[in-house]
Amino acid sequence: MKKVAIQGVIGSYHDIAARKYFEKEEIEIIPCKTFRDVFSAVKNDNEVLGLMAIENTIAGSLLQNYELLRDSNLQIIGEYKLRVSHTLSALPGQTLQDITEIISHPIAIMQCRVFLDTLPYPVKVVESEDTALSAKMIRDRQRMGQAAICSKYAAELYELHVLEEGIETNKRNFTRFLVMADHWLASELINKNEINKSSLVFALPHSEGSLSQVLSVLSFYNMNLTKIQSLPIIGREWEYLFYVDLTFSDYIRYRQSIDAIRPLTKNLKILGEYADGRQSV
């Protein structure tokens, strides 16, 4: 049985992503309060895997998670792209008109803003730590008049009644999750024949054209740049780290491209080599 540390409680979207990624295996979910706790759980037990969100098609990148990953020395071993669909759920026996307060994670609230703005009566909206935790709190405290924005899975798990389904504004709402492991365990879990994606981080000299040179080399080697994210280097004004995702069909040519850009970069680090992740529908 695999042990997987996630941010959030059972029923969260992290929980759903973990179960879908490992759908053919039996897993034990280890709930963690924060993303930093996820990394601590993996470091404290090298048999534990970590799963965390890294970006959402609406909310964008989770910037703090890039730094946590870089500092952790863990390896990315896979990814999963989860279609996120929200419900409004409350204790049984209520209708939408009975709800006076809605509680959820701030990103979920943002993703459902059009639905909330079109409610025909005033409702108090309260931010919480997690979508599934919001559902659990309503169940545990038997809060009549309060509803949670959460997954249908969380609603069923915590015995809530779904008042409205599919309330997210954009139906193309996906979150990309990374699966991480200790360096030694990662080498055992990755199928080298399936590797077609890589995540890198590097700094660049503070000189004209330094980024375009790197991108030109990657293009020459037929690397497909699927993501680039810059973050400032703390304490070094106007200097940045660049987080890059590449996909490729030829692993040897990919390694040649890494050797070619290394002299052009500073502190280049491969965060993981893995298979391009499936996307839920």
Side-chain angles (χ1 to χ4, degrees):
M1 177 188 291
K2 285 187 170 63
K3 296 183 287 185
V4 185
I6 64 166
Q7 185 275 323
V9 301
I10 302 298
S12 66
Y13 289 104
H14 278 81
D15 178 22
I16 296 171
R19 296 182 191 279
K20 286 184 175 291
Y21 183 84
F22 295 104
E23 62 182 357
K24 296 181 181 179
E25 304 179 59
E26 189 176 356
I27 64 171
E28 175 190 347
I29 296 295
I30 302 174
C32 299
K33 187 175 178 63
T34 67
F35 288 115
R36 191 174 296 276
D37 291 338
V38 171
F39 285 91
S40 295
V42 180
K43 288 181 179 180
N44 292 337
D45 183 349
N46 59 17
E47 293 296 319
V48 172
L49 303 174
L51 181 140
M52 73 170 184
I54 196 67
E55 63 177 317
N56 176 266
T57 52
I58 298 174
S61 298
L62 282 74
L63 299 181
Q64 76 277 14
N65 287 357
Y66 282 97
E67 294 193 15
L68 288 171
L69 178 59
R70 179 176 60 87
D71 293 340
S72 70
N73 291 320
L74 300 183
Q75 292 286 301
I76 303 170
I77 63 169
E79 66 176 7
Y80 189 81
K81 299 158 188 170
L82 178 70
R83 163 80 164 88
V84 176
S85 182
H86 297 300
T87 73
L88 185 71
S89 299
L91 291 172
Q94 300 177 96
T95 66
L96 188 59
Q97 288 68 34
D98 297 318
I99 303 305
T100 59
E101 183 174 285
I102 294 173
I103 180 170
S104 193
H105 189 277
I107 291 180
I109 292 171
M110 180 197 73
Q111 293 172 347
C112 301
R113 181 48 62 187
V114 170
F115 169 80
L116 295 174
D117 288 345
T118 55
L119 289 174
Y121 51 88
V123 176
K124 182 180 180 182
V125 178
V126 179
E127 295 183 355
S128 71
E129 297 177 13
D130 185 74
T131 54
L133 181 60
S134 301
K136 184 176 184 298
M137 288 169 55
I138 291 174
R139 193 277 309 272
D140 291 349
R141 300 174 184 177
Q142 290 295 292
R143 290 276 184 85
M144 301 297 286
Q146 190 178 64
I149 295 175
C150 62
S151 68
K152 188 175 182 179
Y153 170 56
E156 293 172 351
L157 187 66
Y158 295 112
E159 303 170 317
L160 300 186
H161 173 62
V162 175
L163 300 174
E164 295 285 341
E165 194 170 344
I167 64 172
E168 66 279 2
T169 303
N170 191 322
K171 306 308 177 185
R172 302 298 297 170
N173 181 10
F174 288 86
T175 296
R176 177 174 167 241
F177 295 85
L178 299 178
V179 184
M180 308 159 297
D182 174 87
H183 178 77
W184 297 108
L185 182 60
S187 62
E188 299 176 9
L189 296 177
I190 295 176
N191 185 338
K192 294 184 179 180
N193 295 324
E194 296 180 351
I195 292 174
N196 62 358
K197 188 167 186 177
S198 173
S199 294
L200 318 172
V201 60
F202 53 80
L204 290 171
H206 195 47
S207 58
E208 184 176 339
S210 58
L211 178 58
S212 63
Q213 289 179 37
V214 170
L215 298 181
S216 295
V217 171
L218 293 174
S219 176
F220 173 80
Y221 282 93
N222 299 319
M223 297 299 103
N224 181 28
L225 185 71
T226 61
K227 172 81 174 181
I228 183 167
Q229 178 71 56
S230 64
L231 288 177
I233 301 175
I234 305 302
R236 290 160 60 181
E237 295 82 1
W238 319 122
E239 293 190 44
Y240 298 86
L241 287 169
F242 294 89
Y243 293 83
V244 172
D245 289 340
L246 304 172
T247 58
F248 46 86
S249 57
D250 187 328
Y251 183 78
I252 293 177
R253 194 147 176 85
Y254 151 70
R255 293 301 305 195
Q256 290 172 339
S257 75
I258 298 300
D259 292 339
I261 67 171
R262 198 176 292 276
L264 304 175
T265 65
K266 298 189 293 184
N267 303 318
L268 186 149
K269 183 177 182 181
I270 298 175
L271 299 172
E273 297 173 349
Y274 49 100
D276 193 7
R278 294 184 295 116
Q279 180 166 298
S280 62
V281 294

